[in-house]
Amino acid sequence: MKLIHNKRQDRLKFSHSFMLFLSVVSILAILFCLICIAFHLLPSVICAILPYAICAVYGLILYLFLVPLHEAGHFYTSLYYIKRYNIPAKVYIKRSMTTSAEWEKIGYDKCVSILKNGSRIKIGYCIIMFFLILLTGHIKGGIVLLFTVVFEYSLNCTPIRNGNDYDLIQNIEKFYEEKDDVSRHRESLERFRTIRIVIWGVFWQIIIIALSVVVLDLLYKVPFDAIDVLKNFIMDYSYGKQC
């Protein structure tokens, strides 16, 4: 009986080992097939993704380029509420940032509107430019603007990072705490307040609008002509290596 039991154990071990071997071989065969398929499809996939990757990069560039427009939304909304409701407060522009020591005097609802209007102005500008670009037939330029909208919304209107507009709205006390920094630098802020308002409030916005048209033409027309060259290089290199 013991001998029969040992033989059964040996058969079970052999069958388990054989099944494990077949499983490993099957997995390796499947992986080999997938690698072969991926190797043949990869150039086509890269060529399909390439234009959108370039659009995303240019969208990020335009997002950074239009930061002053975002701050203009904060700044002008603040001035509007201060003048309309005769609020005893001053707003300053400091290092691409709209700041004040009297946010609490303006009130929570108005502060929320001030914080939201930065992204609203920038997104609204991008949407207007999107339709203008479509009228010229630059579809990829329009896609770039859509990526800019995505970056603006995701980086400032979602809880993706601390200190953005969404975070300040949810934790308004952080917004009110700017008064400490303003108090320390009030003298320098007062000294250059008029100059900064002129530069950021008027002159810089004109430059932004003018340069945006130039950037949209240069960045989104000329580089996209090189995409066909890159595609041909990728396809020739990949299929040349395969042969």
Side-chain angles (χ1 to χ4, degrees):
M1 291 292 293
K2 188 175 181 179
L3 183 60
I4 295 173
H5 178 73
N6 290 336
K7 288 183 178 180
R8 287 179 179 175
Q9 290 292 332
D10 293 338
R11 289 175 183 173
L12 287 173
K13 288 180 181 179
F14 177 77
S15 62
H16 290 163
S17 300
F18 184 70
M19 292 300 295
L20 180 62
F21 174 76
L22 288 178
S23 299
V24 172
V25 171
S26 300
I27 292 172
L28 291 175
I30 293 172
L31 288 175
F32 178 76
C33 292
L34 290 175
I35 291 172
C36 291
I37 294 172
F39 184 74
H40 284 281
L41 293 179
L42 187 60
S44 300
V45 173
I46 292 176
C47 291
I49 295 175
L50 186 62
Y52 300 99
I54 293 175
C55 286
V57 172
Y58 290 157
L60 181 59
I61 293 172
L62 191 60
Y63 164 81
L64 297 173
F65 182 76
L66 293 176
V67 166
L69 192 61
H70 176 102
E71 290 305 316
H74 294 319
F75 183 75
Y76 286 125
T77 305
S78 304
L79 290 185
Y80 168 76
Y81 285 132
I82 289 171
K83 292 183 179 297
R84 179 176 178 180
Y85 297 100
N86 295 319
I87 300 172
K90 282 188 176 181
V91 180
Y92 306 95
I93 294 178
K94 177 189 174 186
R95 293 195 298 270
S96 305
M97 174 182 174
T98 303
T99 186
S100 175
E102 294 89 18
W103 289 128
E104 291 183 75
K105 295 179 182 179
I106 296 176
Y108 173 77
D109 292 336
K110 296 181 182 64
C111 284
V112 170
S113 179
I114 290 169
L115 287 167
K116 288 183 177 180
N117 278 356
S119 293
R120 286 172 178 170
I121 293 294
K122 192 171 176 180
I123 291 174
Y125 170 81
C126 289
I127 291 174
I128 293 172
M129 291 294 290
F130 170 76
F131 287 109
L132 291 177
I133 290 297
L134 288 186
L135 291 176
T136 64
H138 290 222
I139 298 176
K140 291 186 176 69
I143 295 174
V144 170
L145 286 162
L146 293 180
F147 272 110
T148 303
V149 171
V150 170
F151 283 124
E152 176 65 25
Y153 183 83
S154 61
L155 294 176
N156 286 297
C157 304
T158 64
I160 194 171
R161 62 189 179 94
N162 293 328
N164 64 2
D165 294 340
Y166 179 90
D167 181 50
L168 293 177
I169 291 172
Q170 300 301 316
N171 304 280
I172 201 66
E173 290 300 325
K174 291 183 180 180
F175 195 48
Y176 295 158
E177 288 173 0
E178 290 181 5
K179 61 185 178 183
D180 298 330
D181 185 63
V182 172
S183 299
R184 288 194 298 269
H185 303 91
R186 188 179 291 275
E187 184 177 350
S188 61
L189 291 172
E190 286 285 353
R191 187 184 308 160
F192 301 106
R193 183 169 183 267
T194 304
I195 296 175
R196 284 171 173 166
I197 289 175
V198 172
I199 293 175
W200 285 83
V202 181
F203 181 66
W204 188 240
Q205 302 310 319
I206 295 173
I207 292 177
I208 285 174
I209 294 173
L211 287 183
S212 292
V213 177
V214 176
V215 168
L216 288 171
D217 184 64
L218 294 179
L219 290 184
Y220 313 148
K221 183 178 179 181
V222 178
F224 284 113
D225 294 337
I227 290 178
D228 291 334
V229 177
L230 289 174
K231 283 183 178 180
N232 293 332
F233 172 77
I234 292 170
M235 299 297 288
D236 292 341
Y237 178 80
S238 300
Y239 288 113
K241 295 283 286 184
Q242 292 174 22
C243 296

